[in-house]
């Protein structure tokens, strides 16, 4: 009897598609930023820090883009189960990409001349969430090496949720912009923080659901440290 490998269910593709859509706006913004740097666009108050030190922002964009897009496909249990080699190879790419994105973001927060509206509480949040993302990636990698696959998956989900904060922050800013208009330092910090918090809450819900599944249903083949 021939065993047929089933493709990912429609719901899995829906999740992947939604995550990719969530990535589009920040990725497009990052592409325009690199385009401005590459073409020598006029220096303004908004981009002077990037023009003065372009390497961190270029590394951030070039790492975050594949991290967000490739990471979306890790949310397909079918792909992880049926394509263990793919899962392992992509995981080896995602960890360094995520670390570069997180660490370059921390560098920019600490050393760029940040606009006044992004200082204070927002700066503190960026430091906390950037550090948390890097730490989650390291803990996820260590868990995989120890073959603690449930913990590996949980930490990787948390790291991805933080990394996708920029996409959700577009959604948290939109209602305020439409209904109120301009925002000050505090309201911007709250809207940015809301994006991260929403993602973390959703991530913990996903982790909780995954850990509640029967052990056999969520078991990963032993040769897939990812």
């Amino acid at each position: 009897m021939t065993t047929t490998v089933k493709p990912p269910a429609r719901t899995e593709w829906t999740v992947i598609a939604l995550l990719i859509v969530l990535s589009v706006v920040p990725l497009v913004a990052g592409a325009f930023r690199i385009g401005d740097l590459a073409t020598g666009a006029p220096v303004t108050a908004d981009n002077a820090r990037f023009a003065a030190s372009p390497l961190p922002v270029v590394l951030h964009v070039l790492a975050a883009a594949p991290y967000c897009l490739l990471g979306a496909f890790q949310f397909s249990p079918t792909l992880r189960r049926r394509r263990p080699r793919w899962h392992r190879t992509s995981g080896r790419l995602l960890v360094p990409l995520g670390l570069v994105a997180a660490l370059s973001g921390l560098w920019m927060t600490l050393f760029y001349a940040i606009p006044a509206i992004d200082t204070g509480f927002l700066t503190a949040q960026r430091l906390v969430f950037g550090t948390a993302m890097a730490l989650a990636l390291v803990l996820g990698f260590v868990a995989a090496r120890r073959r603690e696959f449930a913990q590996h998956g949980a930490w990787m989900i948390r790291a991805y949720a933080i990394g996708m904060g920029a996409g959700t922050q577009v959604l948290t800013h939109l209602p305020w912009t439409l209904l109120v208009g301009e925002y000050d330092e505090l309201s911007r910090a709250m809207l940015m923080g809301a994006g991260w918090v929403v993602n973390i809450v959703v991530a913990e819900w996903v982790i909780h659901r995954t850990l509640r599944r029967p052990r056999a249903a969520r078991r990963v083949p032993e040769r897939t440290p990812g």
Side-chain angles (χ1 to χ4, degrees):
M1 179 181 294
T2 302
T3 301
T4 302
V5 177
K6 296 181 179 179
R10 182 177 299 178
T11 54
E12 293 181 25
W13 283 119
T14 300
V15 170
I16 293 170
L18 289 174
L19 291 173
I20 291 175
V21 169
L22 194 63
S23 306
V24 167
V25 173
L27 294 186
V28 169
F32 274 109
R33 181 71 66 192
I34 291 180
D36 286 345
L37 292 172
T39 58
V43 177
T44 66
D46 291 332
N47 66 12
R49 61 191 185 279
F50 304 122
S53 182
L55 182 59
V57 68
V58 170
L59 288 175
H60 186 74
V61 173
L62 293 182
Y67 178 79
C68 292
L69 297 175
L70 183 59
F73 290 89
Q74 298 286 356
F75 285 84
S76 168
T78 302
L79 287 176
R80 295 198 308 271
R81 184 173 61 253
R82 303 293 188 182
R83 298 287 185 267
R85 183 175 299 178
W86 169 85
H87 175 66
R88 182 168 61 249
T89 301
S90 59
R92 289 172 177 170
L93 292 173
L94 284 168
V95 171
L97 286 171
L99 285 173
V100 170
L103 295 177
S104 59
L106 288 171
W107 194 99
M108 290 188 289
T109 301
L110 289 170
F111 299 111
Y112 271 167
I114 303 296
I117 198 170
D118 285 352
T119 56
F121 185 35
L122 179 52
T123 294
Q125 290 183 91
R126 282 175 166 156
L127 293 175
V128 168
F129 287 112
T131 303
M133 179 179 172
L135 181 60
L137 286 164
V138 171
L139 291 173
F141 175 78
V142 171
R145 298 290 292 179
R146 293 177 176 174
R147 310 189 78 78
E148 298 171 352
F149 296 118
Q151 293 303 314
H152 163 70
W155 285 116
M156 289 303 185
I157 289 172
R158 292 180 180 116
Y160 188 77
I162 296 172
M164 289 289 287
T168 308
Q169 285 155 1
V170 174
L171 301 180
T172 58
H173 278 71
L174 187 58
W176 183 280
T177 302
L178 294 176
L179 298 175
V180 180
E182 295 294 326
Y183 38 74
D184 57 17
E185 180 182 332
L186 178 59
S187 59
R188 174 159 166 77
M190 297 298 291
L191 293 170
M192 294 287 284
W196 282 307
V197 170
V198 167
N199 282 12
I200 289 173
V201 169
V202 173
E204 293 301 326
W205 175 77
V206 170
I207 292 167
H208 180 69
R209 278 194 62 190
T210 302
L211 294 179
R212 286 183 60 189
R213 292 176 185 171
R215 187 180 183 86
R218 68 172 187 263
R219 185 171 54 209
V220 178
E222 289 193 357
R223 65 190 186 92
T224 61

